Amino acid sequence: MNKNLLSLAQLSRKEIEDLISFAEKFINDDGTFKKESLFPDKTIANIFCEPSTRTKSSFEIAAKNLGCNVLDFDTETSSLQKGESIYDTVDALSLMGVDMCVLRHSESVIHELTQYIPEMSFINGGEGSISHPTQGLVDLMTITQHKETIDDQNIVIVGDLDHSRVTASFIEGISNFDFKSLTFSGHPEMCKSFHNHPKGKYEPDLNIAIEGADVIVALRIQHERLEAQDIVDIDQYKYEYQINSERLAMAHEDAILMHPGPVNLDIEISTMVYESDQCVIRQQITNGVAMRMAVLSQYLSG
Ligand code: CP
């Protein structure tokens, strides 16, 4: 069993389905999470070198629900600020007895870290624009809660796709399933790598893309990763790409709307749509804890 979760490309369909079933078992009938002291001798460090609310907090809650010791590593007051490398930082934590690092970093350092410190277990908590595997698992879990199967769905992903590690991991995960269609939509300047994509078709007109969709994944404009020349006019963007009531009505009547968060409310999604029954974004956040309990259990046992 691999003790590192670096990418969804490393998981088979069965492994994804097993993780989803495992995560469901951590949710009580009343929606609360099971608390079991399964790993009292394990210490997990959350190292988030980029901002996070959902991923970091859900990993911390998940680890505590499993009885782990959790080190909330503060990058701002750490010796990273004195120029210490991420490699020496993780090595120091390993020498102190940390068993697992959940790492978010703007660069793809996690792969080398697994070679540099092989005794440590690593979970990818977000790797630049490359990969966010646990968010992909949360998204697939949320689809299974609303659709009989992940197969046979018409899926639309809309937004700033080029900078979306969530999209990259979602595509890796969904590639294990027999989806009916996968359509990418969004401003052409934000979807340059998707104009000719092997897994789906690019449709710049969202009104066409969303027609008959079963699953819609909306994405945030990642201002922090955009170059100046990529900045788009927000009013024009909303006019063309906001998921509002009129656009949602073009999708299948039981379509679900997902978003990894954080949401720029009234930019990529209107408030009315956010508050509608078809919007499952809040459920994705809750699923984040259960899925991360499943991932931690799996990879701590690896
Ligand atoms: N979806 C997600 O990664 O959210 P955070 O940046 O808040 O962790």
Side-chain angles (χ1 to χ4, degrees), residues 51-56 104 132 135 165-166 260-262:
S52 170
T53 295
R54 289 150 199 76
T55 312
K56 185 177 183 202
R104 173 170 289 191
H132 193 352
Q135 181 66 48
R165 54 190 170 210
V166 171

Side-chain angles (χ1 to χ4, degrees), residues 142-143 145-149 152-154 180 210 212-216 248-258 276-280:
T142 308
I143 294 173
Q145 291 168 333
H146 290 272
K147 306 289 175 188
E148 275 177 31
T149 168
D152 300 328
Q153 305 300 325
N154 293 300
K180 198 178 281 177
I210 206 167
D214 301 301
V215 175
I216 305 158
L248 189 57
M250 297 175 191
H252 201 272
E253 62 184 358
D254 64 0
I256 56 168
L257 173 65
M258 305 201 299
S276 76
D277 290 343
Q278 286 173 267
C279 177
V280 298

Side-chain angles (χ1 to χ4, degrees), residues 142 146 216 248 255-259 263 265 269-284:
T142 308
H146 290 272
I216 305 158
L248 189 57
I256 56 168
L257 173 65
M258 305 201 299
H259 189 304
V263 175
L265 201 55
I269 297 175
S270 73
T271 298
M272 192 173 280
V273 163
Y274 185 83
E275 291 172 353
S276 76
D277 290 343
Q278 286 173 267
C279 177
V280 298
I281 296 169
R282 289 157 64 81
Q283 189 178 352
Q284 285 174 272

Side-chain angles (χ1 to χ4, degrees), residues 18-283:
D18 286 350
L19 276 169
I20 292 171
S21 305
F22 197 16
E24 296 280 5
K25 291 193 172 70
F26 287 116
I27 305 176
N28 293 315
D29 290 342
D30 65 0
T32 59
F33 303 107
K34 295 208 163 63
K35 291 187 172 68
E36 297 170 42
S37 188
L38 298 176
F39 302 100
D41 57 341
K42 297 289 187 187
T43 300
I44 296 175
N46 268 330
I47 306 179
F48 278 65
C49 302
E50 287 191 322
S52 170
T53 295
R54 289 150 199 76
T55 312
K56 185 177 183 202
S57 304
S58 60
F59 265 114
E60 182 168 341
I61 293 166
K64 287 178 176 168
N65 286 349
L66 296 168
C68 303
N69 303 303
V70 182
L71 178 66
D72 180 14
F73 183 82
D74 183 0
T75 56
E76 290 301 314
T77 55
S78 76
S79 289
L80 284 165
Q81 302 303 328
K82 299 183 215 167
E84 187 168 35
S85 71
I86 189 70
Y87 302 96
D88 291 340
T89 300
V90 176
D91 189 40
L93 295 176
S94 173
L95 293 167
M96 292 178 220
V98 170
D99 302 286
M100 173 184 276
C101 283
V102 180
L103 180 70
R104 173 170 289 191
H105 202 283
S106 59
E107 292 168 24
S108 296
V109 293
I110 196 164
H111 308 270
E112 263 186 54
L113 278 165
T114 63
Q115 309 294 316
Y116 190 78
I117 309 158
E119 57 277 19
M120 182 71 81
S121 171
F122 289 94
I123 305 294
N124 183 347
E127 176 191 1
S129 301
I130 305 288
S131 173
H132 193 352
T134 60
Q135 181 66 48
L137 290 169
V138 167
D139 296 343
L140 295 176
M141 175 179 178
T142 308
I143 294 173
T144 64
Q145 291 168 333
H146 290 272
K147 306 289 175 188
E148 275 177 31
T149 168
I150 301 178
D151 298 321
D152 300 328
Q153 305 300 325
N154 293 300
I155 301 163
V156 176
I157 310 178
V158 55
D160 180 3
L161 273 71
D162 281 338
H163 296 101
S164 177
R165 54 190 170 210
V166 171
T167 298
S169 287
F170 185 85
I171 293 170
E172 284 174 351
I174 204 82
S175 294
N176 288 289
F177 297 85
D178 297 321
F179 54 83
K180 198 178 281 177
S181 67
L182 180 58
T183 307
F184 307 114
S185 190
H187 193 288
E189 290 300 307
M190 294 179 175
C191 301
K192 288 179 198 151
S193 342
F194 290 83
H195 294 177
N196 292 296
H197 195 283
K199 297 289 183 185
K201 70 170 190 293
Y202 173 62
E203 173 49 70
D205 185 339
L206 181 56
N207 293 337
I208 296 173
I210 206 167
E211 207 170 320
D214 301 301
V215 175
I216 305 158
V217 181
L219 301 167
R220 179 175 73 91
I221 300 177
Q222 299 197 34
H223 293 284
E224 71 275 23
R225 297 189 210 277
L226 288 176
E227 304 289 337
Q229 71 271 13
D230 295 334
I231 305 290
V232 298
D233 180 86
I234 290 297
D235 286 333
Q236 184 65 24
Y237 185 87
K238 285 160 61 174
Y239 178 72
E240 290 186 81
Y241 295 110
Q242 185 183 82
I243 310 288
N244 53 29
S245 303
E246 293 74 34
R247 288 213 167 94
L248 189 57
M250 297 175 191
H252 201 272
E253 62 184 358
D254 64 0
I256 56 168
L257 173 65
M258 305 201 299
H259 189 304
V263 175
N264 295 308
L265 201 55
D266 287 321
I267 295 183
E268 59 259 11
I269 297 175
S270 73
T271 298
M272 192 173 280
V273 163
Y274 185 83
E275 291 172 353
S276 76
D277 290 343
Q278 286 173 267
C279 177
V280 298
I281 296 169
R282 289 157 64 81
Q283 189 178 352

